[in-house]
Amino acid sequence: MSFFIKGIIMFTRINKSASAFLVVFLFLNSVKASELKIAVAEYPPFINVENGHVKGPVVQYFQNIFSKSFDKIIFVIMPSKRGVRELNKGTIDLFFPYAQHNKGSEIIGEPIFNVVPGICFKKANFIPILSAPGALNGLNIGIPPTLPLVPVFSRSSVNIKVIEGSDVLTRGIQLLLKDRLDGFYHPSPINVYHSSNPLSKDIACSLFYGYSEPINIALSAKLSREKKDKLKELYKAQMEEKPYEYYLLDLRLNL
Amino acid sequence: MKKVSLFRFGLFLLIFIMGIRTALSSVVVSDEDKITEIAKVYHASMVYIFNQQPLINSNAIGKKGLFGQSFIDKIKESYKQMFKQTFPDKTEKHMRNLLTLMMLVMEDNRTLLLDNEIEFKGFIPAVFAFQLSQKFKERGFGLNIKFTNFEERVRNKLNSPDYWEHSALTAIKEGNVEEVLERNNSFEGKIALRYMRAVKMKPMCLSCHGTLQDNPANKNKKREQWHDKDKTGFLMEGWTLDELGGGISVVLYQRNNNVYENK
């Protein structure tokens, strides 16, 4: 090792321009060799998984933000619960989507966007205004066990069916399609009722505006203070320059 | 020689007039003017959404006017027709956000608006206005906007008036005035400029808020067969033409101006 260092010293003495190059090279290498590991759960239409690859506007937005300071950005796919576990272990740097009700993890800044809960129906049974008096009376509505109910439920005479199981959201929609439910209360109907989902031919969702939930990006507790501050600073700057929703609007309208 | 002087004088005059025009157009718009313009544009957008109900609920292909820049252009037309004024400066920060968020609301509803299998989509002016208000609330741009009414007259309780809004509506109703504007008021602990603009009942409002006779579903039906609910499922209120149908409340506040924090 000492032989190697002596060699470098001798080399730089011989050639001063080479020494300057070496200093610059070593400096750049220390900065550029940074890596960011972002875990994401499938969250259509914002994040889609196709053949094991993550795609979608959120992925592109993250690339735009973080590629300014990170040499390599790695995306890994994992479900929410595991994402939170891995954040705590420090095997990933960021996790998206992180809903408010998860709690516990630090978030990068203001929410990237908000989602609105709602009820999905088969199209023939679609109810456009959910807050109309008695609109839900007598209906069998499936609900995920952990999702808080909006006040409309307490003002209506609804037959609530709590859906149990590991993939509650998929199961709820399946029960709806089989006519075993009149409606399914979904935390984020935009995940199912959007033009690129074939399910949108059979179902339509009506939303409870005014009860939106912020969707965040969570930070690993094991990140160094320096890296954490850098991530927060980059995100804040981007959100001030162009919030994600504005970016999405440009994409959709091809401005 | 005289011809050259005359030409120079003409040129000078032209430049002078152009300079004056530029200076006048770049005069800083006061907050009072901004807040009034925002309320008017919001109002114009609601009227446009009402007028587009047949298109919204149809399975027509030509719905371009509901999205993007075309949508904004239509709102401008609606504004000019309603207020007989040129459309305000759309580069001003709050106006730019308002127009962008309007496009965003329409995009959020694109799947529904283009869903040909749903006959009545429920995308009525009040729903559009509420979604737009929520966007401002979520983002905290220093501007809040809401279509409200007296507590007993709001259908969606989330649109209930706060104390200032109730007072402003009362002042409008009792004083028979069009608007109320107040500087140095408060909003959620921040110093704010507040504005309320009256929305009078127009023929278009009556199909939902009017008497049972105004309900299009009751047309050509015997009185005993009349529905007492409008197409959204709410009981019709029996309001009449030109009475106060609500108010557009706009708040301009400083994002970081928290009275108690500053102390």
Side-chain angles (χ1 to χ4, degrees):
Chain A
M1 187 64 188
S2 61
F3 176 74
F4 178 70
I5 292 167
K6 275 179 188 172
I8 289 177
I9 292 166
M10 275 188 67
F11 175 73
T12 53
R13 275 181 187 159
I14 294 164
N15 192 336
K16 285 194 174 169
S17 62
S19 70
F21 171 78
L22 194 67
V23 168
V24 171
F25 174 78
L26 288 172
F27 173 75
L28 282 179
N29 212 34
S30 69
V31 175
K32 289 281 283 178
S34 54
E35 181 182 292
L36 184 68
K37 203 168 182 183
I38 307 175
V40 293
E42 192 166 17
Y43 202 71
F46 311 105
I47 288 192
N48 298 300
V49 179
E50 286 173 31
N51 304 322
H53 295 285
V54 283
K55 288 180 176 177
V58 166
V59 175
Q60 198 55 50
Y61 192 69
F62 286 172
Q63 289 275 15
N64 292 349
I65 301 173
F66 301 118
S67 61
K68 289 168 193 161
S69 288
F70 291 89
D71 191 38
K72 196 174 177 189
I73 300 170
I74 302 164
F75 285 94
V76 287
I77 309 153
M78 59 181 68
S80 290
K81 279 183 186 167
R82 196 177 143 216
V84 174
R85 278 203 307 271
E86 298 300 323
L87 271 182
N88 293 334
K89 281 191 220 164
T91 56
I92 55 172
D93 299 318
L94 299 172
F95 179 73
F96 172 88
Y98 187 76
Q100 189 93 326
H101 63 257
N102 284 331
K103 292 180 184 162
S105 295
E106 189 179 348
I107 53 176
I108 198 166
E110 60 179 299
I112 182 165
F113 56 81
N114 292 267
V115 290
V116 185
I119 298 181
C120 296
F121 303 94
K122 280 181 100 170
K123 284 193 184 173
N125 307 322
F126 182 69
I127 297 174
I129 312 274
L130 298 172
S131 56
L136 302 178
N137 283 358
L139 297 183
N140 294 313
I141 307 284
I143 63 158
T146 55
L147 187 62
L149 296 179
V150 297
V152 172
F153 280 96
S154 57
R155 295 200 299 267
S156 312
S157 169
V158 180
N159 302 317
I160 287 171
K161 312 276 180 196
V162 180
I163 313 291
E164 303 285 355
S166 56
D167 190 358
V168 172
L169 301 184
T170 308
R171 188 145 181 269
I173 296 293
Q174 281 169 351
L175 291 171
L176 181 67
L177 291 170
K178 287 177 186 167
D179 286 323
R180 289 171 59 190
L181 293 173
D182 297 313
F184 177 62
Y185 180 49
H186 199 290
S188 172
I190 186 142
N191 297 150
V192 281
Y193 187 48
H194 59 91
S195 58
S196 49
N197 185 359
L199 265 179
S200 295
K201 286 189 171 66
D202 301 306
I203 63 162
C205 308
S206 201
L207 306 187
F208 289 109
Y209 288 99
Y211 300 97
S212 60
E213 186 181 27
I215 299 297
N216 295 293
I217 304 161
L219 292 161
S220 169
K222 299 281 169 71
L223 283 174
S224 66
R225 172 53 55 195
E226 192 187 338
K227 195 170 182 180
K228 203 180 271 187
D229 289 346
K230 185 80 207 160
L231 290 168
K232 285 183 175 182
E233 183 190 310
L234 287 168
Y235 179 72
K236 191 179 174 204
Q238 181 64 42
M239 285 294 273
E240 276 171 8
E241 190 192 324
K242 183 171 276 191
Y244 171 74
E245 285 184 307
Y246 285 25
Y247 168 81
L248 189 64
L249 184 69
D250 282 358
L251 275 186
R252 285 179 182 170
L253 300 175
N254 294 317
L255 292 176
Chain B
M1 187 68 182
K2 267 189 175 178
K3 272 186 182 174
V4 174
S5 309
L6 203 63
F7 175 74
R8 278 186 182 168
F9 178 72
L11 195 66
F12 170 76
L13 199 67
L14 188 70
I15 293 169
F16 180 76
I17 291 168
M18 283 173 71
I20 292 284
R21 279 193 64 176
T22 313
L24 283 175
S25 65
S26 62
V27 165
V28 179
V29 182
S30 69
D31 281 351
E32 283 87 346
D33 287 340
K34 271 185 215 168
I35 209 166
T36 312
E37 285 167 353
I38 283 162
K40 283 179 173 177
V41 173
Y42 186 80
H43 194 175
S45 70
M46 287 170 72
V47 170
Y48 176 68
I49 291 292
F50 181 86
N51 290 333
Q52 296 309 304
Q53 286 300 300
L55 177 69
I56 285 169
N57 295 315
S58 75
N59 54 13
I61 300 165
K63 292 190 175 180
K64 198 184 159 202
L66 299 176
F67 303 103
Q69 192 53 48
S70 307
F71 180 69
I72 300 303
D73 292 341
K74 299 285 183 189
I75 287 170
K76 284 182 190 170
E77 284 172 25
S78 175
Y79 180 94
K80 284 175 197 166
Q81 275 181 12
M82 284 173 71
F83 304 110
K84 313 288 180 224
Q85 287 172 349
T86 52
F87 197 78
D89 176 17
K90 61 178 187 176
T91 59
E92 189 277 321
K93 184 183 79 175
H94 292 304
M95 187 58 70
R96 203 176 58 231
N97 278 328
L98 176 66
L99 300 179
T100 308
L101 292 179
M102 279 180 179
M103 289 193 280
L104 205 54
V105 167
M106 298 313 284
E107 279 306 312
D108 285 353
N109 289 280
R110 187 182 273 269
T111 309
L112 176 67
L113 294 170
L114 298 181
D115 196 324
N116 290 339
E117 288 163 71
I118 295 173
E119 203 177 319
F120 176 59
K121 298 179 173 65
F123 194 73
I124 54 173
V127 168
F128 166 78
F130 186 69
Q131 290 184 29
L132 191 54
S133 305
Q134 289 297 306
K135 291 271 181 211
F136 274 104
K137 202 173 165 187
E138 286 162 3
R139 280 281 158 239
F141 285 129
L143 174 78
N144 260 39
I145 188 160
K146 178 165 103 186
F147 182 48
T148 185
N149 205 335
F150 292 107
E151 180 70 44
E152 65 280 7
R153 286 164 74 97
V154 288
R155 286 183 169 187
N156 180 353
K157 292 296 169 198
L158 296 173
N159 284 329
S160 295
D162 65 13
Y163 183 80
W164 185 88
E165 287 164 338
H166 178 85
S167 309
L169 285 166
T170 307
I172 284 173
K173 196 179 174 191
E174 291 174 359
N176 201 20
V177 290
E178 287 289 309
E179 56 188 3
V180 173
L181 191 138
E182 199 170 337
R183 270 202 168 276
N184 298 327
N185 207 280
S186 63
F187 176 74
E188 295 179 352
K190 296 176 178 70
I191 295 171
L193 171 65
R194 305 203 62 166
Y195 176 80
M196 179 72 78
R197 180 176 184 79
V199 177
K200 295 277 176 69
M201 291 293 289
K202 298 288 175 201
M204 68 177 197
C205 315
L206 297 177
S207 57
C208 290
H209 299 283
T211 61
L212 303 190
Q213 208 167 354
D214 298 317
N215 189 343
N218 294 339
K219 207 175 173 183
N220 302 326
K221 277 187 182 161
K222 289 178 186 170
R223 190 173 283 264
E224 26 323 338
Q225 294 172 319
W226 281 1
H227 297 275
D228 57 355
K229 287 181 179 173
D230 68 5
K231 67 194 316 187
T232 66
F234 281 89
L235 285 171
M236 293 184 71
E237 291 94 339
W239 298 345
T240 52
L241 211 58
D242 287 330
E243 77 169 281
L244 187 64
I248 294 169
S249 163
V250 188
V251 188
L252 267 180
Y253 62 95
Q254 293 295 316
R255 281 182 81 174
N256 303 316
N257 176 14
N258 188 305
V259 179
Y260 296 101
E261 276 176 13
N262 284 348
K263 282 184 179 178

